Amino acid sequence: MSTPKTPGPRLPDKPVRPPRIARQSPAAEPPSDTRSVLERLRAAQPRAAAVRDDEPAGMQPRPADPVPRRESASGGPGPAPGRAGRWVPPATGTAGAATESRGTRPGNGTGSGSGNGSGDGSGLGSGLEGAGPASADRLRIAAGKARVAADATYRAARRGSSVAVRHVGTWDPDIVRQAVVTVSAVACVLGSAAGVGAFGGPSIRDAAGGLFAPDATLLAPSSSAFSIWSVIYAGLVAFTVFQWLPSQRRSARQRRLGWIVAASMLLNLAWILSAQAGLAALSLVVIMLLFFALLAAVSAMNDHHDRTRLEGALVDVPIGLYLGWVLVAAAANAAAVLTGGGVDLFGWGGRAWAVLGIIAVLMTAAVICSTDRGRLSVAAATSWGLLWIAVERVLGQPFAVNVAFVAALAIFLLLITAGSRRHRVDHAYRRWLRAQEDAEREPLDLTGDDYEESRY
């Protein structure tokens, strides 16, 4: 404290230098919402995978950035570019040091590493360099989507096929057999119509250069002989209707016969098509397969006998007529193939081979007619074909009386064979019935009064 006796320090009259007023630094601008959001996203983003030194820059993996960034003139993150692009996050993790891997706009001739659209043109080169990896990425994404779609389609197809197989497994095999026989019968009838040229194609008679015409070979029957096909087709239609009866659905005989008859009708259609196409050798193979199929059908009928006369008339008779006529047609087809090829085995001539062919037909038909009760329908159809061969050899061309005589003799022998077989079987059956009746009859007492009265 100063007193008059002890004065304190004196202040200068005027300041040595003008007073300085301390400047207050402006308050820090609060971060905008956009910047805070970007900072939070940058902090939450996983670190980029380390890039191997030996991997090319174009093939380095780029982590996906949820928000595109570009560096503004002030060094901080700016708004997203107008055109979609890929931007690499900063490797050091510091704000404001983001760099881009490609130019901002391809084709504008500008764009440096800073992405501000001005530079020395190096951005164009970097954009072109980045086009390759972008295309590869798009291809990989498309391939992945295609692979996923293919896997889904395969699983769906496999699941659908398994369901279809299970569904087919639930079908009634007897109904399936009946449906197959019906479809085969319809195809066979339509094929017969095509065989006569109903649909505009050539008829069987004019096909294969006329090899199936009545005057082509010595074993070719007259044109009137082919009218038996109408009877055969009517019988096959009757068989198809009969096998739909409820009593025949589970029949063991129909279960064995159905598939064989269906195959024979399809083979008949194949023979018509091959003959119309002029494939004589193929038609011979097909008709032989048809013959063996019908032999299997007759064998099935012998193993499972008919129970009623109606069944015999609608099943046994059509198949027997079918087999008898196919036997004659097979012989005529073989003669057509040999004649067309100019084959003359051992130099015996056509007449000798025609006679041998008729004998072979007779022996085969006789063996078939000697089974069961005697297949009279087989004998009838075979005799029909041999009859028209004999007529054509006498009244048509080529003229061959010896062939006609052998054919007529074969008819006689075949009918005798089938008739005798039927007579023997029927006679044995009647004897069996009589024996059954005698076994059931009460024995006669020869010592009683009844015997004495019966004598007078």
Side-chain angles (χ1 to χ4, degrees):
M1 180 175 180
S2 63
T3 60
K5 292 182 178 183
T6 58
R10 297 181 59 183
L11 296 175
D13 297 336
K14 56 181 180 180
V16 179
R17 62 182 63 179
R20 295 171 53 183
I21 300 175
R23 296 182 180 180
Q24 297 180 358
S25 60
E29 184 179 358
S32 62
D33 295 339
T34 303
R35 178 172 299 183
S36 61
V37 170
L38 291 176
E39 293 296 337
R40 287 198 299 273
L41 291 176
R42 187 179 298 110
Q45 184 179 2
R47 295 291 182 179
V51 181
R52 295 181 301 179
D53 296 334
D54 58 347
E55 189 173 0
M59 299 300 293
Q60 295 174 1
R62 293 187 300 275
D65 196 348
V67 179
R69 300 186 307 276
R70 62 180 299 174
E71 187 175 346
S72 63
S74 61
R83 185 169 180 176
R86 300 198 177 197
W87 308 89
V88 180
T92 59
T94 59
T99 58
E100 59 180 336
S101 62
R102 283 187 282 176
T104 58
R105 296 176 182 266
N108 57 0
T110 61
S112 63
S114 61
N116 57 2
S118 63
D120 56 356
S122 62
L124 179 60
S126 61
L128 292 176
E129 292 176 358
S135 301
D137 291 342
R138 286 194 295 270
L139 289 176
R140 281 194 294 269
I141 294 173
K145 292 181 179 180
R147 186 163 50 252
V148 172
D151 293 341
T153 304
Y154 170 74
R155 288 193 297 270
R158 186 175 180 179
R159 184 166 53 253
S161 62
S162 60
V163 171
V165 169
R166 288 196 299 269
H167 181 64
V168 171
T170 60
W171 292 356
D172 190 346
D174 294 320
I175 297 179
V176 173
R177 184 198 70 244
Q178 292 172 324
V180 170
V181 171
T182 303
V183 172
S184 301
V186 172
C188 184
V189 172
L190 292 178
S192 67
V196 297
F199 300 121
S203 62
I204 299 297
R205 177 176 179 175
D206 301 330
L211 284 177
F212 301 104
D215 57 351
T217 63
L218 293 171
L219 291 181
S222 177
S223 299
S224 302
F226 294 94
S227 60
I228 194 176
W229 275 119
S230 58
V231 181
I232 294 174
Y233 289 136
L236 292 176
V237 171
F239 169 82
T240 303
V241 174
F242 179 77
Q243 56 107 27
W244 277 103
L245 295 179
S247 61
Q248 301 299 316
R249 177 171 297 176
R250 306 283 189 253
S251 173
R253 194 180 202 220
Q254 289 294 333
R255 284 177 174 174
R256 184 173 175 184
L257 267 179
W259 296 106
I260 300 175
V261 175
S264 68
M265 290 187 285
L266 294 178
L267 286 172
N268 185 20
L269 175 62
W271 182 84
I272 293 173
L273 296 178
S274 61
Q276 279 188 326
L279 304 175
L282 179 60
S283 66
L284 178 60
V285 174
V286 173
I287 203 169
M288 293 305 298
L289 293 176
L290 174 58
F291 172 71
F292 288 118
L294 292 174
L295 277 181
V298 171
S299 176
M301 291 189 299
N302 292 337
D303 294 338
H304 303 276
H305 300 284
D306 55 323
R307 297 182 179 180
T308 61
R309 291 187 177 181
L310 178 62
E311 182 179 359
L314 299 181
V315 176
D316 294 40
V317 172
I319 295 177
L321 294 175
Y322 198 5
L323 176 58
W325 174 251
V326 167
L327 177 59
V328 177
N333 199 338
V337 172
L338 294 176
T339 302
V343 178
D344 184 11
L345 297 177
F346 308 111
W348 291 355
R351 294 176 184 269
W353 284 109
V355 170
L356 290 178
I358 294 175
I359 294 174
V361 169
L362 170 62
M363 295 179 64
T364 305
V367 171
I368 297 172
C369 293
S370 298
T371 60
D372 198 52
R373 292 179 61 221
R375 297 290 175 184
L376 294 180
S377 57
V378 177
T382 307
S383 300
W384 174 267
L386 293 175
L387 173 63
W388 287 105
I389 290 177
V391 170
E392 187 66 22
R393 297 293 72 81
V394 173
L395 302 179
Q397 295 295 330
F399 182 78
V401 179
N402 53 352
V403 175
F405 174 76
V406 173
L409 182 61
I411 294 172
F412 174 75
L413 295 176
L414 182 58
L415 293 178
I416 291 296
T417 302
S420 63
R421 172 67 178 181
R422 174 64 61 92
H423 175 72
R424 290 196 305 270
V425 172
D426 289 348
H427 182 65
Y429 179 70
R430 286 191 296 267
R431 291 181 60 183
W432 178 81
L433 286 179
R434 189 177 301 171
Q436 293 294 324
E437 293 175 357
D438 293 341
E440 295 176 357
R441 187 179 302 166
E442 295 182 0
L444 185 62
D445 188 6
L446 300 180
T447 61
D449 297 336
D450 295 338
Y451 177 71
E452 295 295 336
E453 292 177 359
S454 63
R455 294 179 62 187
Y456 300 101

